Amino acid sequence: MDLIQVYTDQCSLCGLCIDVCPSYDTVDVIPSLCDYISEGGQTEEKKPLEYDIRLCYTCNVCTVACPEDLGIRKLIAASREKKTKIRGLSKEQMLVDPFSDNNIYKKVGEWESPVEFKNEGRKSKVVYFPGCAASCMNKVVGKSTVRALNAAGVDYSVMSGIEYCCGSVSAGAGNTAPLEKLGQRNIDEINSRGSEILITTCPGCYRAFKMLYPQKFENIQFEVLQTAEYFARLLDEGKLNFKREMSEYTKSNAKLRIYYQDPCHLTRALGVYEDPRKVLSAVPGVELVNPTPEGSICCGFGGGVRTSFPQKSIDQAGSVHEYAKSLGSDIIITNCGGCMKNIIEGGYMSGKENESNAGLPVYDLAEFISIACGSAPTERDDLKLIYLSNKSLCDCLAHYDFKPYEELAAEYDPDLK
Ligand code: SF4
Ligand code: SF4
């Protein structure tokens, strides 16, 4: 059925979606977006948009809250698609296009080399696909995942870097060309390695291989698993051997209290929330403060909000720390390179404004698991991560004027060296 007809028939304008939405505060947004989408079809804007559709984090909180499984996001997606068709790609949309010179990952790669994985391009039972984010931007995720795989004795190879972009983030921003161009090539490469399992860390890559590729491409001869799902399988097979008692990371030697931050695109959109909790709960000396995703909040990174509204995005990330602290957590663990970066940034910013509000330590799931399995902690520099990611946005977008980290420039700015 036509999307607008579905809303006409099923949406009672009850406002439950608005009650939980971090971006919109009136149910009027629903009829307004319906009008925008329907009037003039896909080729003409008969009415200007009344609400700023760039404010949506694509977190899906509204869809989960809706008794009819509707929410606002579906209308936002259709509105963004229409706007892109009529007005063309914006500079922000080009930032994640792997064929654009203005790609933010390429920009960071000019200053600091992407991760050099050892097991590239060979036949293997398992293929790890770190994606652009874990290869070039938040490298802790890529490095930690292979450490965990090594600790479990897995036979794997890696497909890394921008040359193996999945195209999903670009498609989410309304630019489907990279996905169309790269999807079948990625599938063929994995098949040619004779691989049975593909593992992704990034929820965007996972969505591409799990949901989008099967709708568009053929001959997927392998199973697609997110890192947490694969770790859970390794645990069941007795291959994930924890060697560290993680309570040693607390001052009192009481159990380490973990807040697991559900990445919106993994939990609400793709239903992966039990396996990360199962794996974390098996680590000696820990206690999960949120055993279910109920009440989980968006980190503020998604939907392009981080680029268009940086302060709003960072404030939202700060609220993850507040929520985790209210549950008595010692640390936050997440399962997405983008969420991790934003939450680190939110904690840094809160502490800068008021020292007593400084954030909790933030870990990636694979990083934590690899440490628990006895690997040396992955080398990381959180301030460099947030500095370079902001600098890449400043360099790629002339109008990006969010420059709050001048205190870090002397140490990290590659242009000053
Ligand atoms: S989309 Fe769903 S939750 Fe929102 S107003 Fe309509 S029926 Fe209510
Ligand atoms: S996806 Fe999230 S930010 Fe977007 S409309 Fe729904 S609740 Fe609001």
Side-chain angles (χ1 to χ4, degrees), residues 165-186:
C165 175
C166 68
S168 153
V169 179
S170 197
N175 174 16
T176 55
L179 185 129
E180 304 283 354
K181 202 162 173 181
L182 298 173
Q184 193 63 56
R185 192 204 62 166
N186 288 337

Side-chain angles (χ1 to χ4, degrees), residues 17-18 20-24 29 53 55-63 70-74 76 80 264 268 298 305 312:
C17 51
I18 291 296
V20 292
C21 174
S23 285
Y24 301 101
V29 70
I53 53 176
L55 286 166
C56 174
Y57 294 108
T58 65
C59 65
N60 256 331
V61 169
C62 53
T63 312
L70 296 173
I72 312 153
R73 187 196 167 174
K74 290 174 186 172
I76 297 278
R80 285 182 174 180
C264 297
R268 281 179 280 279
C298 171
V305 179
K312 172 180 162 64

Side-chain angles (χ1 to χ4, degrees), residues 7 10-17 27 30 65-68 70-72:
Y7 275 79
Q10 296 175 23
C11 174
S12 60
L13 296 179
C14 67
L16 290 174
C17 51
V27 79
I30 292 176
C66 174
E68 302 292 339
L70 296 173
I72 312 153

Side-chain angles (χ1 to χ4, degrees), residues 262-274:
D262 286 279
C264 297
H265 294 172
L266 200 56
T267 298
R268 281 179 280 279
L270 293 156
V272 179
Y273 57 88
E274 286 176 350

Side-chain angles (χ1 to χ4, degrees), residues 57 59 261-264 268 296-302 306 312-320 334 336 338-343 346:
Y57 294 108
C59 65
Q261 164 68 16
D262 286 279
C264 297
R268 281 179 280 279
S296 67
I297 49 177
C298 171
C299 77
F301 185 69
R306 179 62 188 81
K312 172 180 162 64
S313 168
I314 298 302
D315 290 347
Q316 179 69 23
S319 65
V320 173
T334 189
C336 162
C339 296
M340 180 182 171
K341 187 205 74 66
N342 226 42
I343 299 168

Side-chain angles (χ1 to χ4, degrees), residues 133-149:
S135 300
C136 302
M137 186 75 83
N138 190 350
K139 303 184 187 87
V140 173
V141 177
K143 288 178 188 171
S144 303
T145 303
V146 297
R147 283 182 189 206
L149 295 177

